[in-house]
Amino acid sequence: MTKLLFVLGTRPEAIKLFPVIRLARMLPSDFDIKVCTTGQHREMLEPFLRLFDLRPDHDLAILRPDQTLSGIVAGVLEGLDPLLVAERPDWLLVQGDTSTAMAAVLAAFHRNIPIAHVEAGLRTWDLNAPFPEEMNRQVMGRVSTLHLAPTVWSRDNLLREGVPEDRVVVTGNTGIDSLRLARESSTLSKDVSVRYPSIAGRKLMLVTGHRRENFGQGLADVCTAIRRLVEENQDLAVVFPVHLNPNVSEPVRRILSPAVATGRLILDEPVDYPTFVSLLCAAHLILTDSGGVQEEAPSVGKPCLITREKTERPEGLEAGVARLVGTNTERIVSAVEDLLNNPEANAAMSRVVNPYGDGHSAERVLAAIVQRSSSGFDLVGRSRGPSLL
Ligand code: UD1
Ligand code: UDP
């Protein structure tokens, strides 16, 4: 019996750890599972915890309005340490590159608890892009025990940084497992034309945005582009579920409110996962700075324009189904209009490809953990001794 403690705090962590937790729960004689939410997100997390039946055993409840990065990290370190002492898991599992994940890794390291990092090895090598996630993932790459890399490219990044080969396993991205499960389940699918009747008969552009390095002028320029596109293209409808961060929602609503009157721009609250997946499937194109959405877009065959200068997910660019467009208004307008008006350009980017996963990554994650657990594997790469745990 292997005792796993999953720590998660934000929407994408719930989405991407769900398939792993679900599968581990289906194997009760192999795994004893505990789930801890840090509460880095609240309104944006709870519907996902309910939908995926994640039932956290612990909640550190750290969310503060307009919280600081140091506040998140301090809250997680302080809240998690006594829990690690009480629970003594065989493995701590975290996903991605949030402050929750990085702080949880530090807390586990301080208590000599082996760490499995799901979605390891993504890199831009620019600590400011994305900020602070690139720092978070580089720290996690130094400290984790087992690195579950989604792709060969991310595995190679870790090997180049000197991580021993036997500590890295290519699993695919578990987010694609969730996408597969959502598309296979009738209870997880939604008819979006009921919620958004104005998209019927129009080309839908689905928009998301929340990156800290885009706050201020970058986000304002993206919004200006969206406003112009809506005003100048009568066949375009835009659905934009707006992130709850006030640094996002305030400028987005201020700059875009005038275009809402056209009836073809919908500024929504963050939507539940089935609705979002249905929007992805209904979209003509996607404009986003999200990591998870960059992975989902090619799996549903939709062109993805990335409102960033760099991405840690180059596989979509290489497959020709994603493009970096940055935050410059003219560049965004021109790239979107090309996809609206040029069928060849659109078709070239509308191919279903799965560079990020085949929908069965959770199995590989758990198999890698079981294999390391039985062969003995500790923080310094020797066989696990009683002094360490
Ligand atoms: C966080 C992660 C980011 C991840 C994103 C997913 C860090 C530093 N950032 O960014 O890597 O891509 O989540 O969405 O870990 N808020 C609420 N309710 C919520 C969630 C957020 O009100 O349920 C507001 C609060 O005012 C909060 C602010 O949004 O202070 C920012 O939340 P935070 O988790 O710090 O940053 P995100 O931009 O959500
Ligand atoms: N998502 C959702 N509802 C929304 C926006 C996004 O369910 O209103 C999902 C989306 O399918 C993807 C994930 O949330 O799986 C992406 O989260 P986010 O962009 O917040 O974080 P990132 O992936 O950039 O870390």
Side-chain angles (χ1 to χ4, degrees):
M1 177 75 88
T2 307
K3 187 166 179 179
L4 308 179
L5 174 64
F6 292 85
V7 178
L8 56 96
T10 67
R11 170 171 70 188
E13 291 165 274
I15 293 169
K16 291 175 170 180
L17 284 177
F18 153 66
V20 186
I21 296 171
R22 172 183 169 273
L23 186 59
R25 283 208 176 119
M26 288 160 74
L27 302 164
S29 51
D30 297 296
F31 297 108
D32 173 13
I33 293 162
K34 290 282 184 311
V35 176
C36 171
T37 168
T38 63
Q40 178 176 341
H41 282 179
R42 177 65 53 198
E43 303 87 330
M44 283 173 56
L45 183 65
E46 269 164 6
F48 292 84
L49 298 178
R50 274 197 307 277
L51 174 77
F52 298 139
D53 194 23
L54 289 181
R55 289 175 271 133
D57 303 281
H58 307 279
D59 183 353
L60 307 182
I62 63 163
L63 177 73
R64 301 287 176 272
D66 203 8
Q67 59 205 4
T68 63
L69 297 173
S70 294
I72 303 171
V73 173
V76 175
L77 281 171
E78 205 175 339
L80 202 53
D81 188 57
L83 190 64
L84 294 176
V85 173
E87 293 284 3
R88 277 275 150 207
D90 295 320
W91 290 89
L92 174 110
L93 272 93
V94 289
Q95 191 282 334
D97 51 22
T98 64
S99 294
T100 278
M102 191 276 288
V105 160
L106 288 186
F109 178 77
H110 292 154
R111 290 288 175 186
N112 257 337
I113 290 169
I115 301 153
H117 180 201
V118 179
E119 199 184 85
L122 277 62
R123 295 288 184 272
T124 62
W125 298 282
D126 177 349
L127 290 175
N128 292 315
F131 176 91
E133 290 84 357
E134 178 68 14
M135 178 278 288
N136 287 343
R137 50 170 97 108
Q138 288 196 21
V139 169
M140 294 165 80
R142 296 272 63 75
V143 176
S144 296
T145 319
L146 176 61
H147 307 256
L148 290 324
T151 63
V152 170
W153 182 79
S154 48
R155 177 199 64 192
D156 290 349
N157 292 337
L158 289 159
L159 300 184
R160 273 193 292 273
E161 289 174 5
V163 177
E165 210 166 343
D166 64 346
R167 304 266 193 127
V168 190
V169 179
V170 178
T171 59
N173 198 304
T174 55
I176 305 303
D177 295 28
S178 299
L179 185 62
R180 175 180 65 78
L181 291 167
R183 296 181 81 197
E184 282 171 6
S185 155
S186 54
T187 54
L188 288 184
S189 68
K190 291 264 171 86
D191 180 358
V192 283
S193 63
V194 174
R195 185 179 174 122
Y196 306 109
S198 62
I199 69 177
R202 299 200 164 96
K203 291 176 181 167
L204 171 65
M205 177 166 82
L206 176 61
V207 181
T208 77
H210 69 82
R211 296 257 81 92
R212 273 177 160 77
E213 64 274 15
N214 282 354
F215 290 175
Q217 196 58 49
L219 183 59
D221 291 347
V222 173
C223 291
T224 304
I226 296 167
R227 188 173 157 178
R228 258 184 54 192
L229 283 160
V230 170
E231 285 168 354
E232 292 169 12
N233 294 274
Q234 303 303 316
D235 60 343
L236 175 68
V238 175
V239 175
F240 187 168
V242 183
H243 195 288
L244 294 182
N245 192 329
N247 298 293
V248 176
S249 56
E250 190 283 318
V252 166
R253 294 188 187 279
R254 178 170 39 80
I255 298 168
L256 286 177
S257 288
V260 171
T262 61
R264 291 181 290 104
L265 169 64
I266 298 130
L267 299 181
D268 207 343
E269 299 295 312
V271 296
D272 60 62
Y273 186 59
T275 301
F276 196 81
V277 170
S278 304
L279 282 166
L280 284 169
C281 295
H284 189 77
L285 75 139
I286 294 152
L287 183 71
T288 189
D289 62 19
S290 161
V293 178
Q294 282 178 64
E295 291 151 1
E296 290 160 347
S299 291
V300 295
K302 305 298 172 159
C304 186
L305 300 179
I306 307 164
T307 48
R308 297 172 50 184
E309 299 297 341
K310 292 176 181 166
T311 180
E312 59 290 304
R313 294 167 170 87
E315 295 88 349
L317 305 180
E318 280 155 20
V321 294
R323 262 181 77 187
L324 288 166
V325 293
T327 56
N328 178 275
T329 302
E330 298 303 326
R331 198 166 150 208
I332 294 171
V333 168
S334 148
V336 171
E337 287 185 340
D338 195 33
L339 289 173
L340 290 177
N341 303 324
N342 178 345
E344 276 171 24
N346 192 284
M349 288 184 73
S350 299
R351 287 173 294 111
V352 175
V353 287
N354 284 300
Y356 300 108
D358 62 358
H360 296 277
S361 303
E363 294 149 42
R364 297 186 194 101
V365 167
L366 289 181
I369 288 173
V370 167
Q371 204 235 321
R372 267 68 184 179
S373 300
S374 52
S375 66
F377 201 71
D378 71 17
L379 291 172
V380 289
R382 298 188 300 257
S383 51
R384 189 192 294 164
S387 61
L388 277 174
L389 287 175

